[in-house]
Amino acid sequence: MENDIYIAQKRISTENFLLKLNRQAHQLEVYKKADGQALRKNYSIRKDFVPCEYTIYEKIKEMPCLFGREDSPTPYGVFDIVKKSKVKEEYISGYHKKYERIKFFGYLVIFEDYFIHSDLYMDRVTSETFEQAEPISNGDTGTAGCIRVSQKNVEWLLENIEVGTTVIL
């Protein structure tokens, strides 16, 4: 149960979700806004407590992920999603040690050039062909700082997570 619930004090959030990078478990955790009963279920709270001044999130999903290597770490902090792509929209990046240009399909921008995105592909792969192509990122143990999740998970994020959603890194 530990770390399955987050409480934001005196902050009324309009966002339905909260994302958290769990570096030890190599998971991107997804929390959904919950009612006060989730808090009472997990913690001893006095009966006259009024949870309406708090935003409560309960973990609903974990996504295996990679994040920044020691030489190019993912920043620590609390950020908001500032931009998101359409599902399967391509992005060309120059942040790869071996290849000058690579692509990924679908992303959420966390901070500056730090994204949550899918597997990496050669730049000749297109949005029509990437599902049949072999990702060049198979076997990677870390990233250049971004958070990388499966294509299926990035598509779920794009369908459910809004710009403005808080991300704890």
Side-chain angles (χ1 to χ4, degrees):
M1 262 324 157
E2 188 176 329
N3 295 330
D4 284 351
I5 195 163
Y6 268 86
I7 307 160
Q9 184 175 10
K10 307 236 184 244
R11 177 179 177 229
I12 306 304
S13 174
T14 59
E15 302 308 323
N16 289 322
F17 293 95
L18 169 80
L19 302 177
K20 179 183 175 274
L21 175 60
N22 182 331
R23 294 170 193 254
Q24 287 76 31
H26 289 261
Q27 301 274 352
L28 181 63
E29 299 172 346
V30 180
Y31 293 78
K32 187 170 184 174
K33 196 180 282 187
D35 63 20
Q37 294 308 312
L39 185 61
R40 292 183 192 284
K41 179 174 72 178
N42 292 283
Y43 297 101
S44 299
I45 304 291
R46 66 180 195 275
K47 292 184 192 288
D48 64 342
F49 172 76
V50 181
C52 66
E53 293 182 355
Y54 298 81
T55 303
I56 300 160
Y57 295 93
E58 193 167 26
K59 189 184 331 179
I60 62 160
K61 191 174 184 74
E62 296 174 332
M63 301 174 177
C65 72
L66 294 177
F67 52 90
R69 298 178 302 272
E70 191 173 301
D71 64 334
S72 184
T74 300
Y76 285 85
V78 178
F79 303 92
D80 291 333
I81 299 293
V82 294
K83 180 181 176 184
K84 70 179 201 174
S85 71
K86 296 178 180 141
V87 174
K88 298 182 184 176
E89 180 179 328
E90 70 179 46
Y91 183 89
I92 299 173
S93 174
Y95 290 108
H96 196 277
K97 284 183 166 186
K98 188 175 177 184
Y99 302 103
E100 189 173 314
R101 290 167 39 111
I102 50 95
K103 283 184 183 176
F104 48 84
F105 297 89
Y107 60 88
L108 298 98
V109 181
I110 305 167
F111 165 72
E112 205 58 30
D113 274 349
Y114 293 90
F115 294 49
I116 298 170
H117 64 77
S118 66
D119 280 323
L120 305 177
Y121 297 86
M122 297 299 294
D123 68 343
R124 68 180 173 272
V125 176
T126 68
S127 58
E128 291 81 29
T129 64
F130 84 91
E131 290 175 336
Q132 292 80 36
E134 185 69 29
I136 61 170
S137 54
N138 286 350
D140 285 356
T141 58
T143 72
C146 291
I147 297 169
R148 191 179 315 145
V149 297
S150 71
Q151 186 67 39
K152 180 180 174 185
N153 283 332
V154 85
E155 289 175 15
W156 186 93
L157 290 167
L158 289 170
E159 290 171 8
N160 292 281
I161 302 301
E162 295 302 322
V163 169
T165 296
T166 299
V167 183
I168 300 170
L169 299 180

